[in-house]
Amino acid sequence: MEPSTQKLIHTFGALADLGQEIAGTGDFTEMVRTSMHLLLGTLALRRGAVVECSGPGPLRCVAIWGLTDQGLAGFEIDEAEMESFLCGEISESLVRNESSANVFIGRHREKLANEGIELVVPMIVRGEVTGMVLLGGKASGEEFSNDDFETIRAMARHIGVGIHTHRLLEQLAQRAEENRRLYDELRTIYRDTVRAFAAAIDIKDKYTQGHSERVGRYSEIIAREMGWSEQEVEGIQIAGYLHDIGKLIVDRDIINAPYHIDAKNSSELNRHPSAGYEILAPIRHPYADIPLMAKHHHERLDGRGYPDGLTDQQIPMGAKIVALADSFDAMTTDRPYRRRRSFEDVVVDLRENSGKQFDGKVVAAFARAILKEVKGETRERRITKMLGKSYLEGEHVATLLTDLIMDLEGDFPAKAQSSSRR
Ligand SMILES: [Fe+2]
């Protein structure tokens, strides 16, 4: 085989390796270093470096072999020097070429020669200088041939494209990170606004302070226990905060009536789920179905609820969860005309009304979540905090919950629970 053919095959092999390095998703600096070594190895060069720049300014060393960092320190490039790289021939890149029109080489000739750099090849991508490959002479002492120049130019271009791609990916990652941060901020603002609304709703009702906030938390706990995704859990928490937003349009005296209200006032109060829907529907929420959950939080499985008298399958699962959280909080907090009910009493109510007012699957999930806290299986005691420390105390509490879960899950086998989420 002719020596020149052999060299050609070797060069193509090196180029293929370089392509693979650049396409690889590994460490960027390692990629540049390997690429430079391939170039040095292919032409048997003593030393070399790859430096990068983004616009005029200092040159940053990415890979170096046979040269020192100190030797390369302080190299800068200005606008005119970049320009002269864009229009020069490769022979202009020879440091020894005194007649070279390259202004960068002209300015740094002495320093480059002192470091043993003989060739400065720009890496040009999309009409811009992304950096330079600085090369020492051949180990054999021979001059660079035209073939060598071709090889160097091709390889420098490959490395330049690699650097350019890396920068684009970095910019992309930076923008993605910025977007994520902005999105998180927006989400926090949205949640804070919703909580402020919840507080406004609760202020109107002087007997149920903190009710909306608690319904939001109970709903979140139940949904998580039912295996909902984080996104869905966040959504139902918001729905819990806002479920009574329609009360904002109901007369304060009716909401605060100390005893049971008459039929007229009752129908006025019962407008609040539909009114809540009217308020929430035009708003673009980041979570689905929030207006519907508010609208149907007073529906019952047996069809005796309001506003639409929907039955079991027609009621969205989210509304069923909010309905239970709402009733549970009503039963476990003091009202002007009655004290809160004991936990035994509440469990009796939940058992009796499962399948009539409440969905048994939802009640079972809530009971499981409470039982986990009672048994100390959860790190946080969120339910206990809301109910007060003593409310869930006593041996009988765990037994009551276990019995309730067994009764309800007997009616709703685990398989059916997971297959009918919504
Ligand atoms: Fe309500």
Side-chain angles (χ1 to χ4, degrees):
M1 196 186 292
E2 293 270 321
S4 59
T5 316
Q6 251 177 353
K7 199 171 166 191
L8 200 66
I9 290 168
H10 187 70
T11 305
F12 270 114
L15 262 180
D17 288 347
L18 197 57
Q20 219 168 5
E21 269 304 320
I22 288 162
T25 51
D27 177 54
F28 166 72
T29 314
E30 196 53 43
M31 176 280 281
V32 177
R33 196 175 295 145
T34 315
S35 307
M36 189 192 67
H37 285 161
L38 274 167
L39 178 55
L40 298 183
T42 306
L43 298 173
L45 306 179
R46 286 202 192 101
R47 55 187 73 91
V50 175
V51 293
E52 67 162 336
C53 57
S54 25
L59 296 168
R60 198 179 72 83
C61 191
V62 190
I64 190 162
W65 176 258
L67 293 162
T68 59
D69 283 327
Q70 296 94 311
L72 293 185
F75 274 110
E76 287 196 354
I77 189 162
D78 64 26
E79 194 104 41
E81 289 166 352
M82 284 188 135
E83 199 63 34
S84 74
F85 271 123
L86 293 177
C87 49
E89 289 293 313
I90 194 150
S91 59
E92 308 258 350
S93 292
L94 278 167
V95 175
R96 268 179 294 145
N97 182 359
E98 298 275 343
S99 61
S100 167
N102 187 300
V103 283
F104 177 82
I105 294 180
R107 181 155 76 103
H108 299 286
R109 181 169 283 117
E110 205 181 317
K111 200 172 168 192
L112 290 165
N114 286 345
E115 293 300 319
I117 295 164
E118 295 195 8
L119 195 63
V120 179
V121 188
M123 297 186 290
I124 298 167
V125 182
R126 289 175 177 259
E128 277 181 27
V129 179
T130 57
M132 283 168 256
V133 179
L134 314 175
L135 299 171
K138 289 184 160 192
S140 62
E142 286 170 46
E143 297 286 318
F144 288 109
S145 68
N146 281 339
D147 285 350
D148 294 338
F149 282 143
E150 285 304 313
T151 307
I152 292 166
R153 214 174 7 207
M155 286 188 157
R157 190 171 154 66
H158 264 78
I159 300 171
V161 168
I163 290 175
H164 184 74
T165 309
H166 174 74
R167 276 187 202 160
L168 287 180
L169 288 175
E170 262 190 347
Q171 276 170 13
L172 211 62
Q174 214 173 352
R175 283 207 193 126
E177 175 59 27
E178 255 167 50
N179 279 344
R180 199 193 55 75
R181 207 173 39 73
L182 277 175
Y183 174 72
D184 280 353
E185 265 172 37
L186 275 179
R187 224 165 52 167
T188 310
I189 292 169
Y190 175 81
R191 283 181 62 160
D192 289 350
T193 311
V194 165
R195 289 177 83 165
F197 261 113
I201 300 161
D202 291 346
I203 279 171
K204 206 170 175 190
D205 186 342
K206 66 178 176 183
Y207 298 116
T208 57
Q209 291 286 304
H211 169 71
S212 300
E213 175 100 25
R214 286 191 301 274
V215 171
R217 291 191 194 168
Y218 285 135
S219 301
E220 175 211 333
I221 291 167
I222 300 169
R224 187 166 282 129
E225 180 62 37
M226 292 180 79
W228 284 32
S229 71
E230 272 313 301
Q231 169 90 3
E232 290 170 324
V233 168
E234 270 190 44
I236 196 149
Q237 187 179 20
I238 302 287
Y241 288 153
L242 297 177
H243 75 285
D244 269 347
I245 197 167
K247 280 189 180 170
L248 289 175
I249 62 148
V250 176
D251 196 326
R252 188 183 282 264
D253 293 339
I254 297 174
I255 295 173
N256 287 318
Y259 302 102
H260 287 293
I261 45 178
D262 61 28
K264 183 170 164 278
N265 284 342
S266 170
S267 76
E268 172 67 16
L269 183 62
N270 291 358
R271 278 176 56 217
H272 80 271
S274 300
Y277 179 79
E278 299 297 325
I279 295 170
L280 295 171
I283 302 169
R284 282 178 58 185
H285 302 274
Y287 314 98
D289 298 343
I290 287 179
L292 279 178
M293 292 186 207
K295 185 178 186 182
H296 297 301
H297 77 273
H298 283 295
E299 300 286 0
R300 296 168 51 104
L301 264 68
D302 57 15
R304 290 172 49 222
Y306 60 93
D308 293 339
L310 300 183
T311 54
D312 188 1
Q313 299 295 325
Q314 296 170 311
I315 308 170
M317 188 55 88
K320 289 177 174 177
I321 294 175
V322 175
L324 175 65
D326 187 20
S327 297
F328 181 82
D329 187 63
M331 287 190 271
T332 55
T333 44
D334 292 334
R335 293 290 155 107
Y337 43 86
R338 58 153 177 79
R339 298 275 301 155
R340 70 170 171 178
R341 292 160 73 174
S342 69
F343 190 65
E344 292 83 346
D345 210 7
V346 171
V347 170
V348 169
D349 189 293
L350 294 179
R351 177 182 274 111
E352 266 181 13
N353 284 305
S354 285
K356 294 181 205 158
Q357 182 181 354
F358 309 120
D359 188 320
K361 295 188 292 294
V362 181
V363 176
F366 197 15
R368 285 198 305 274
I370 303 172
L371 185 61
K372 279 180 190 169
E373 269 201 26
V374 169
K375 284 183 164 179
E377 290 171 10
T378 50
R379 207 160 38 90
E380 286 179 296
R381 298 288 187 103
R382 301 179 64 200
I383 302 171
T384 315
K385 259 186 211 157
M386 282 187 273
L387 291 169
K389 205 168 167 273
S390 59
Y391 193 71
L392 292 174
E393 266 175 8
E395 288 288 304
H396 65 293
V397 169
T399 317
L400 281 172
L401 288 165
T402 311
D403 290 348
L404 177 64
I405 295 164
M406 273 170 47
D407 287 353
L408 292 173
E409 290 188 342
D411 290 342
F412 301 94
K415 230 175 164 183
Q417 282 179 43
S418 58
S419 63
S420 57
R421 282 270 302 280
R422 299 207 148 185

